[in-house]
């Protein structure tokens, strides 16, 4: 009887530990903060970098990017808004996160995504973007990402991977999203809005397609637990639902 009781307790313990290890929690812990850059941990080895873009219509806008790390390698999604702040970010990743940056991914062609790309290239860091992003970067005479993709792309780092997807137009005609399956984190970039946000910058937007594209994002990433928007607070898939509703056409 004691043996059966011991076995039962052991199995219960294993199940509890197993469930706990699979539970992903949102930490939202600020690790680094200056006037130009904030780095926040949102899940183990997943970070949001936030820099600030001074605009005429919207004031000083916080702009989010994502960092994922594994086995001393990192992938960066979107650069900070300029080369100086990008250097600050690179030094932090190298020295504090103790990771070598394997690649940087601008998720569309605006300055809050590739404004500091030249600094990454100076550090011999590979860059990859959607084929439309490269074309649009050429048009505006910005620094051009090195490698392109069209529909989806897998990037390995450490012993893990992230995937890039182009699911349609919205904020811009080239906006992509990135998904980190191991941590169930979706970087929606400027395609996905924070809760209660307005429509924001529509200069290059496709408002007719935006809700449809966000609906594709929702279907594609049903298992996502953490969603990072291009601007504002990190949240759950409720951000996707909000974006769908915000741009729903009658």
């Amino acid at each position: 009887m004691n043996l059966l009781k011991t076995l039962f307790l052991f199995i219960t313990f294993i199940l509890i530990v197993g469930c706990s290890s699979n539970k992903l929690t949102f930490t939202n812990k600020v690790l680094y903060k200056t006037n130009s850059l904030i780095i926040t941990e949102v899940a183990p080895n997943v970070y949001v970098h936030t820099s600030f873009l001074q605009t005429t219509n919207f004031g000083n806008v916080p702009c989010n990017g994502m960092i994922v790390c594994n086995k001393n390698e990192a992938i960066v999604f979107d650069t900070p808004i300029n080369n100086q702040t990008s250097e600050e970010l690179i030094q932090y990743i190298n020295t504090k996160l103790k990771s070598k940056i394997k690649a940087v991914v601008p998720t569309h062609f605006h300055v809050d995504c590739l404004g500091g790309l030249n600094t990454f290239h100076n550090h011999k860091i590979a860059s990859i973007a959607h084929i439309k992003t490269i074309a649009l970067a050429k048009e505006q005479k910005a620094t051009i990402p090195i490698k392109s993709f069209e529909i989806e792309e897998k990037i390995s780092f450490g012993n893990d991977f992230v995937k890039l997807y182009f699911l349609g137009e919205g904020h811009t005609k080239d906006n992509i999203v990135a998904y980190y399956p191991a941590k169930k984190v979706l970087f929606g970039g400027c395609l996905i809005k924070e809760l209660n946000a307005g429509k924001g910058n529509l200069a290059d937007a496709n408002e007719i397609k935006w809700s449809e594209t966000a609906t594709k994002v929702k279907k594609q990433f049903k298992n996502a637990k953490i969603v990072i928007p291009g601007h504002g607070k990190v949240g759950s898939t409720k951000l996707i639902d909000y974006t769908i509703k915000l741009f729903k056409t009658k």
Side-chain angles (χ1 to χ4, degrees):
M1 181 64 72
N2 287 336
L3 179 61
L4 289 174
K5 184 178 180 180
T6 301
L7 182 60
F8 174 78
L9 291 173
F10 176 76
I11 292 172
T12 302
F13 173 77
I14 293 298
L15 288 173
I16 292 172
V17 170
C19 290
S20 297
S21 63
N22 289 328
K23 185 178 180 181
L24 297 169
T25 56
F26 175 52
T27 56
N28 200 34
K29 179 182 179 183
V30 174
L31 302 179
Y32 177 83
K33 185 174 182 179
T34 65
N35 290 334
S36 54
L37 181 67
I38 300 172
I39 298 174
T40 307
E41 183 184 50
V42 296
N45 297 316
V46 181
Y47 311 87
V48 172
H49 66 83
T50 304
S51 57
F52 300 88
L53 179 65
Q54 187 63 48
T55 68
T56 301
N57 296 329
F58 303 102
N60 197 31
V61 178
C63 306
N64 296 334
M66 181 173 76
I67 310 160
V68 294
C69 299
N70 182 270
K71 301 292 183 183
N72 303 114
E73 288 191 334
I75 308 293
V76 175
F77 299 87
D78 289 345
T79 77
I81 57 104
N82 57 37
N83 287 313
Q84 182 178 354
T85 310
S86 293
E87 182 65 35
E88 187 179 356
L89 176 65
I90 291 168
Q91 292 305 319
Y92 182 88
I93 294 170
N94 289 342
T95 60
K96 299 300 183 181
L97 299 183
K98 301 187 185 305
S99 296
K100 180 180 179 181
I101 303 171
K102 187 172 182 180
V104 59
V105 182
T107 59
H108 66 277
F109 77 99
H110 286 166
V111 67
D112 53 349
C113 296
L114 48 68
L117 188 58
N118 191 56
T119 295
F120 283 83
H121 286 174
N122 287 342
H123 280 271
K124 310 300 181 185
I125 296 168
S127 57
I128 180 170
H130 192 263
I131 190 169
K132 291 182 180 179
T133 302
I134 291 176
L136 291 164
K138 287 179 180 177
E139 286 182 15
Q140 67 177 12
K141 302 187 185 307
T143 304
I144 301 167
I146 297 167
K147 183 182 177 182
S148 68
F149 77 99
E150 290 192 54
I151 304 300
E152 62 181 76
E153 182 81 9
K154 179 180 178 180
I155 307 177
S156 298
F157 67 111
N159 61 3
D160 216 333
F161 69 92
V162 289
K163 293 196 75 173
L164 316 177
Y165 297 85
F166 175 70
L167 295 173
E169 299 184 11
H171 175 66
T172 58
K173 64 176 66 175
D174 64 320
N175 48 212
I176 65 170
V177 298
Y179 189 57
Y180 187 17
K183 300 299 171 69
K184 298 183 179 179
V185 178
L186 173 69
F187 181 65
C190 293
L191 178 66
I192 302 301
K193 293 289 185 177
E194 72 167 328
L195 292 180
N196 302 316
K199 291 186 175 182
N201 177 17
L202 301 175
D204 300 297
N206 186 335
E207 290 187 75
I208 295 173
K209 289 288 186 181
W210 199 324
S211 183
E212 178 184 326
T213 301
T215 300
K216 291 178 182 177
V217 171
K218 181 178 180 179
K219 290 179 180 177
Q220 181 80 31
F221 307 108
K222 294 178 180 178
N223 295 325
K225 298 297 182 185
I226 297 172
V227 178
I228 302 171
H231 305 280
K233 294 181 180 179
V234 177
S236 67
T237 53
K238 289 181 180 179
L239 274 65
I240 305 175
D241 293 331
Y242 177 77
T243 303
I244 292 170
K245 183 179 179 180
L246 181 64
F247 290 99
K248 193 77 173 177
T249 55
K250 294 182 181 180

